[in-house]
């Protein structure tokens, strides 16, 4: 006959089977896939540089042109960093281009320019963060689908930008802002906007890979319900992510003001598509749960280099768009194949 359990036995905790460590067995394939993807992007970038050097050696390889490529990549690159966080969390932001436009025209009104450099920078950033706040509240606490909420913001921000400018270009007259775009402001031959992009990239990488905020972002994108049960405030995390995206848009708007010397309601046109495409080909999973800042930056450089080569060779923009579309499709197919091969859903 079975003996009754003693009080000590009754109070003993129930043993739970623990998964045995595999010495990083599951981490190695993931890290290897990401490394291979980044190396592949570097290879693509090297091929593009070779093509540019062969077709237009004197123009493409000129220091001024390379500086231009990096400067142009910097603006969309900052937006892409914010987009990478949003997509990693399982969301999407279709309003980034419109937010850049709204922030740039609001920051270049005559009333704002009276406050000088600080007024323009503060306005651009606060408008971007404000739009991100609206997106975040609608999605996190209003229960709206990110696609719909950000699409509504896209239309609203574009309309408001058009109303502010009345369809006219707003010229910047603040010399301290314009001076950042001239060669005398370059540091060791590097444009200031490129340094800003580098700083945003480093901060973004640290935030995603070395902080609790980054781990929570990945967890929410991987399985929001599991993240909630683990004690993560999913709604607050999503709010923070759209605030971060809006902040990046505000910074990019100021950079665009420096680059163009003006504010226009057409600024940031198709930035949302370029940012999403760069993040995807860089290895960020469109369904969420995985993101890479380094890959996104490489994706931005690939697209910017393609644009520059097409412009130097006087090729039609239609062909350029087709080439970009083909790259996006190929990247998604490779991503899908990689997931199927690893057994992930």
């Amino acid at each position: 006959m079975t003996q009754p359990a003693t009080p000590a036995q009754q109070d003993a905790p129930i043993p739970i089977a623990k998964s045995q460590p595999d010495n990083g067995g599951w981490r190695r394939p993931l890290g290897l896939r990401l490394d291979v993807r980044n190396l592949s992007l570097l290879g693509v970038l090297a091929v593009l540089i070779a093509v540019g050097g062969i077709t237009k050696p004197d123009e493409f390889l000129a220091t001024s042109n390379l500086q231009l490529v990096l400067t142009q990549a910097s603006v969309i690159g900052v937006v892409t960093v914010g987009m990478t966080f949003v997509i990693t969390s399982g969301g999407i932001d279709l309003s980034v281009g419109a937010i850049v436009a709204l922030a740039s025209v609001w920051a270049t009104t005559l009333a704002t320019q009276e406050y000088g450099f600080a007024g323009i920078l503060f306005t651009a950033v606060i408008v971007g963060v404000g739009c991100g706040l609206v997106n975040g509240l609608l999605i996190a606490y209003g229960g709206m689908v990110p696609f719909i909420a950000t699409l509504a913001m896209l239309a609203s921000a574009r309309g408001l930008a058009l109303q502010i400018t009345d369809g006219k270009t707003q010229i910047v007259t603040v010399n301290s802002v314009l001076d950042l775009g001239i060669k005398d402001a370059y540091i060791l031959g590097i444009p200031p906007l490129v340094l800003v992009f580098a700083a945003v990239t480093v901060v973004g990488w640290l935030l995603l890979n070395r902080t609790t905020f980054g781990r929570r972002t990945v967890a929410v994108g991987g399985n929001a319900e599991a993240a909630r049960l683990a004690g993560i405030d999913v709604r607050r995390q999503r709010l923070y992510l759209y605030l971060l995206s809006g902040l990046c848009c505000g910074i990019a708007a100021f950079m665009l003001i420096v680059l163009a010397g003006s504010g226009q309601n057409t600024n940031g046109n198709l930035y949302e598509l370029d940012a999403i495409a760069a993040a995807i080909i860089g290895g960020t999973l469109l369904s969420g749960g995985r993101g890479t800042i380094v890959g996104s930056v490489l994706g931005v450089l690939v697209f910017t280099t393609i644009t520059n080569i097409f412009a130097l060779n006087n090729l039609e923009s239609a062909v350029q768009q087709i080439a970009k579309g083909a790259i996006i499709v190929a990247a998604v197919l490779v991503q899908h194949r990689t997931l199927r091969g690893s057994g992930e859903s």
Side-chain angles (χ1 to χ4, degrees):
M1 180 177 294
T2 304
Q3 297 295 326
T6 64
Q9 291 173 326
Q10 292 174 346
D11 295 337
I14 299 174
I16 300 175
K18 298 181 178 180
S19 58
Q20 296 297 322
D22 58 358
N23 297 322
W26 68 272
R27 295 179 186 272
R28 284 191 189 128
L30 174 58
L32 181 60
R33 288 198 300 271
L34 294 179
D35 289 341
V36 169
R37 183 184 294 275
N38 290 340
L39 289 174
S40 299
L41 286 173
L42 284 173
V44 171
L45 190 59
V47 170
L48 290 173
I49 293 174
V51 170
I54 293 173
T55 57
K56 292 288 183 178
D58 295 334
E59 299 176 34
F60 180 79
L61 297 178
T63 301
S64 59
N65 184 64
L66 296 179
Q67 291 172 335
L68 175 62
V69 171
L70 290 176
T71 302
Q72 292 175 336
S74 297
V75 180
I76 185 62
V78 171
V79 175
T80 303
V81 170
M83 182 69 78
T84 300
F85 277 89
V86 171
I87 296 178
T88 301
S89 72
I92 199 75
D93 192 348
L94 300 178
S95 64
V96 291
I99 293 175
V100 169
L102 178 59
S104 69
V105 300
W106 206 322
T108 54
T109 60
L110 293 177
T112 302
Q113 292 193 51
E114 290 181 358
Y115 294 94
F117 183 99
I120 294 176
L121 175 59
F122 176 79
T123 302
V125 170
I126 204 66
V127 170
V129 172
C131 292
L133 175 63
V134 173
N135 281 337
L137 290 175
L138 290 176
I139 294 167
Y141 294 95
M144 291 187 67
V145 177
F147 183 91
I148 300 300
T150 57
L151 184 62
M153 176 58 73
L154 182 156
S156 301
R158 281 290 179 193
L160 185 54
L162 178 59
Q163 185 177 32
I164 291 175
T165 62
D166 194 24
K168 301 176 183 178
T169 299
Q170 297 179 163
I171 304 299
V172 176
T173 58
V174 180
N175 291 329
S176 57
V177 173
L178 298 175
D179 288 345
L180 291 177
I182 63 177
K183 289 189 176 181
D184 290 342
Y186 289 9
I187 302 175
L188 300 177
I190 303 175
L193 299 188
V194 177
L195 296 177
V196 173
F197 176 37
V200 171
T201 299
V202 171
V203 172
W205 186 90
L206 292 173
L207 195 61
L208 184 60
N209 296 281
R210 293 292 184 267
T211 67
T212 302
F213 181 87
R215 290 190 290 272
R216 288 175 177 172
T217 300
V218 174
V220 170
N223 190 320
E225 181 61 20
R228 185 187 67 81
L229 294 175
I232 297 175
D233 191 330
V234 175
R235 293 190 299 179
R236 184 172 61 186
Q237 184 69 17
R238 285 174 174 162
L239 174 61
Y240 289 162
L241 288 166
Y242 282 95
L243 283 172
L244 177 61
S245 179
L247 173 62
C248 289
C249 289
I251 295 173
F254 179 79
M255 296 169 68
L256 194 57
I257 291 171
V258 172
L259 186 61
S262 63
Q264 304 177 55
N265 66 286
T266 56
N267 283 344
N269 187 36
L270 296 181
Y271 272 22
E272 57 277 358
L273 299 183
D274 288 342
I276 293 171
I280 292 174
I281 72 169
T284 298
L285 195 60
L286 189 58
S287 57
R290 182 183 304 162
T292 163
I293 298 296
V294 174
S296 295
V297 170
L298 290 175
V300 170
L301 292 175
V302 166
F303 280 131
T304 308
T305 304
I306 290 175
T307 301
N308 184 258
I309 291 174
F310 274 68
L312 290 178
N313 287 276
N314 296 319
L315 297 176
E316 295 182 2
S317 59
V319 180
Q320 175 185 324
Q321 297 302 325
I322 292 173
K324 285 186 177 182
I327 292 175
I328 295 170
V329 171
V332 173
L333 289 176
V334 169
Q335 188 179 84
H336 182 63
R337 185 183 182 88
T338 302
L339 291 177
R340 289 184 60 185
S342 64
E344 297 180 36
S345 56

